[in-house]
Amino acid sequence: MLTRKQHELLMFIHERMKESGIPPSFDEMKEALDLKSKSGIHRLITALEERGFIRRLPNRARALEVVKLPDSMNPSLGGRKARFEPSVIEGTLGKVPAKTMAPKQDNGGSVAIPVMGRIAAGVPIEAIQTHSHSIAVPPEMLGSGEHFALEVRGDSMIDAGIFDGDTVLIRKQDAAGNGEIVVALVDDEEATLKRLRKKGNAVALEAANPAYETRIFGPDRVKVQGRLVGLLRRY
């Protein structure tokens, strides 16, 4: 699954390669996607490479190669491009059919909860990935509503008892109260696990580690994807 910006960059690189045979420069990519800095392009390229859509070639200028396009660019259409609807996470996390997201109870009484990739407890990372696998969770850890799990990366929430490598259980919801720990999507691109603080019209994402600064955004830049309800840890 690609975010909107990842898909835009992939298609921009693909079209430029078809036109000239040369990948666009970072400045051209930054301008095409209307980003403020090249660091955003670096993050998008890294995400596309990790997902197997592009490959960086060593010892060559502008060394990018498009390996594949999204599945919806269906080659069986006789060369015509299918209309691509990227699965961008906005408002509801990881849009998958209800039968996939619905918890399933096994014979041992545990509930299968989908793991939706990684979440940053540190500097925000690329938006959450698609359903990768499921984990068994005791039903007493879950309340009402729909749930999913995320693997934590980073140390910004250590004072809240959340460490790198933990798996957090999240209840899907698009609103939360002051002081609650939430999955927040910033600018429809980056996901992070932080404590939510509302200050007037501003939204603050507060770390639980003094080494990290609180980040403050306008209300239209942050979307709550869910609220922390549990945590799993392996020793």
Side-chain angles (χ1 to χ4, degrees), residues 127-146:
I128 301 165
Q129 303 166 18
T130 189
H131 179 192
S132 59
H133 62 285
S134 296
I135 56 173
V137 176
E140 56 268 23
M141 293 187 68
L142 306 171
S144 61
E146 195 173 335

Side-chain angles (χ1 to χ4, degrees), residues 206-223:
E206 180 182 280
N209 181 339
Y212 292 83
E213 294 183 356
T214 297
R215 302 178 71 201
I216 299 176
F217 303 92
D220 58 333
R221 295 185 60 193
V222 177
K223 295 177 182 177

Side-chain angles (χ1 to χ4, degrees), residues 126-226:
E126 290 297 328
I128 301 165
Q129 303 166 18
T130 189
H131 179 192
S132 59
H133 62 285
S134 296
I135 56 173
V137 176
E140 56 268 23
M141 293 187 68
L142 306 171
S144 61
E146 195 173 335
H147 297 76
F148 59 91
L150 294 165
E151 297 171 350
V152 175
R153 292 293 179 267
D155 62 356
S156 75
M157 299 302 290
I158 57 175
D159 287 351
I162 303 170
F163 297 93
D164 183 70
D166 286 347
T167 297
V168 289
L169 297 176
I170 306 295
R171 182 186 186 276
K172 281 186 64 176
Q173 56 189 69
D174 58 9
N178 265 331
E180 292 186 318
I181 297 175
V182 302
V183 173
L185 189 64
V186 180
D187 295 333
D188 287 332
E189 288 185 7
E190 298 176 320
T192 189
L193 185 72
K194 292 290 184 292
R195 195 177 299 279
L196 182 73
R197 300 287 186 188
K198 298 176 182 178
K199 302 178 180 180
N201 289 327
V203 176
L205 299 179
E206 180 182 280
N209 181 339
Y212 292 83
E213 294 183 356
T214 297
R215 302 178 71 201
I216 299 176
F217 303 92
D220 58 333
R221 295 185 60 193
V222 177
K223 295 177 182 177
V224 173
Q225 305 289 279

Side-chain angles (χ1 to χ4, degrees), residues 2 5 13 21 33 38 46 62 74 80 93 99 102 108 111 124 126 131 159 162 175 189 197 201 212 214-215 224:
L2 298 179
K5 286 292 187 183
I13 295 172
L33 270 68
K38 292 181 183 178
T46 298
R62 299 191 184 186
N74 194 333
R80 293 183 291 111
L93 176 67
K99 64 179 181 180
V111 179
E126 290 297 328
H131 179 192
D159 287 351
I162 303 170
E189 288 185 7
R197 300 287 186 188
N201 289 327
Y212 292 83
T214 297
R215 302 178 71 201
V224 173

Side-chain angles (χ1 to χ4, degrees), residues 37-86:
S37 69
K38 292 181 183 178
S39 62
I41 295 296
H42 279 286
R43 288 197 303 270
L44 292 173
I45 286 178
T46 298
L48 288 172
E49 185 176 29
E50 289 176 348
R51 289 159 174 78
F53 287 95
I54 64 173
R55 177 165 52 226
R56 282 187 260 205
L57 305 176
N59 304 319
R60 288 178 54 184
R62 299 191 184 186
L64 291 177
E65 178 184 25
V66 176
V67 177
K68 66 177 181 179
L69 295 175
D71 290 339
S72 54
M73 304 293 289
N74 194 333
S76 66
L77 297 176
R80 293 183 291 111
K81 293 181 181 178
R83 184 171 181 267
F84 180 60
E85 299 285 351

